[in-house]
Amino acid sequence: MNDQPRLRVFLVDDHAMFRAGVRAELGDAVEVIGEAGTVAEAVATIRRVLPDVVLLDVHMPDGGGRAVLEQVRASNPDIRFLALSVSDAAEDVIGLIRGGARGYVTKTIGAAELVAAIRRVADGDAVFSPRLAGFVLDAFAAKNQAPASDPELDQLTNREREVLRLLARGYAYKEIAKELYISIKTVETHVSNVLRKLQMSNRYELSRWAVDRRIV
């Protein structure tokens, strides 16, 4: 018999079918006390129900996992966050860890492994899918060789960084709009704002700048 109390878990993902699948996979191993599909809903409900661990998607239409992290941790620093994402991009992993997540696993993870990861994060351990751990180690190594903050990058909003990352990967405006669930006009506005803030004149300069800072 397992006398371990069931952990209280909250799900954040903009796809309802995925949240339902995670609930089914977790079964009775943990107690899923709530879920949300938007940043605003997630922040408000997490603050109210106070889960032990939040399973957090990285990319959502209204700001993504880091926005949830930054808002919740400011008032509830004891809540643990575990990123659960389809993305295995280094920039996504590092961004969430710097934001305060205790771990990052991809959505290919099995149910038993996910339960184990949730328990480890609740206990204060750091958990990563195997190939993602290298990104974190590299980031900490680089941190010892460079300033902890980048004044130019710090002036960009989370959404502007997301647009910049996709732009540097070669995405067209239409593709960025589809990826981030925003209009092409909104993409153009974000790019204009980034160009103005970084004092650059075109997307090619932006792409080189992003590559140099390894945020692609």
Side-chain angles (χ1 to χ4, degrees):
M1 179 181 294
N2 186 1
D3 295 328
Q4 226 178 352
R6 286 199 302 165
L7 291 169
R8 302 167 71 254
V9 175
F10 192 93
L11 307 178
V12 181
D13 193 288
D14 59 318
H15 294 97
M17 288 185 65
F18 177 76
R19 297 198 306 269
V22 172
R23 277 181 175 269
E25 289 289 324
L26 292 175
D28 294 329
V30 300
E31 180 185 0
V32 178
I33 62 171
E35 60 182 66
T38 68
V39 170
E41 181 187 9
V43 171
T45 313
I46 290 169
R47 284 173 173 167
R48 178 170 56 83
V49 301
L50 301 176
D52 298 309
V53 176
V54 176
L55 285 181
L56 187 67
D57 192 16
V58 177
H59 296 294
M60 294 189 293
D62 56 346
R66 184 155 185 176
V68 176
L69 264 169
E70 290 172 346
Q71 293 180 55
V72 172
R73 281 178 57 80
S75 56
N76 303 92
D78 293 334
I79 295 176
R80 311 284 190 183
F81 289 84
L82 173 62
L84 177 63
S85 176
V86 295
S87 172
D88 61 359
E91 188 242 344
D92 288 337
V93 179
I94 301 309
L96 264 291
I97 298 306
R98 284 181 174 161
R102 293 294 303 174
Y104 193 117
V105 295
T106 60
K107 290 181 177 179
T108 57
I109 192 171
E113 294 170 302
L114 180 56
V115 171
I118 291 170
R119 286 178 176 154
R120 288 180 59 192
V121 165
D123 287 339
D125 292 340
V127 180
F128 302 96
S129 292
R131 71 178 299 271
L132 306 184
F135 295 153
V136 180
L137 292 173
D138 289 346
F140 278 101
K143 188 175 181 180
N144 292 330
Q145 303 168 12
S149 63
D150 184 326
E152 289 183 308
L153 185 61
D154 288 346
Q155 66 184 312
L156 304 182
T157 66
N158 287 333
R159 180 61 87 186
E160 287 168 353
R161 294 186 194 195
E162 290 176 337
V163 170
L164 175 59
R165 175 175 57 84
L166 294 175
L167 193 72
R169 288 182 177 179
Y171 283 54
Y173 285 4
K174 182 178 180 180
E175 293 170 323
I176 296 174
K178 183 178 180 181
E179 180 77 13
L180 298 180
Y181 301 94
I182 57 180
S183 69
I184 296 175
K185 181 67 175 176
T186 301
V187 174
E188 293 173 347
T189 299
H190 285 311
V191 173
S192 295
N193 289 339
V194 174
L195 285 169
R196 174 179 51 79
K197 289 179 179 181
L198 299 181
Q199 299 181 2
M200 296 181 187
S201 58
N202 57 62
R203 62 175 293 170
Y204 304 105
E205 290 183 6
L206 283 180
S207 295
R208 287 197 301 271
W209 185 88
V211 170
D212 287 343
R213 280 161 176 75
R214 298 181 180 179
I215 63 172
V216 180

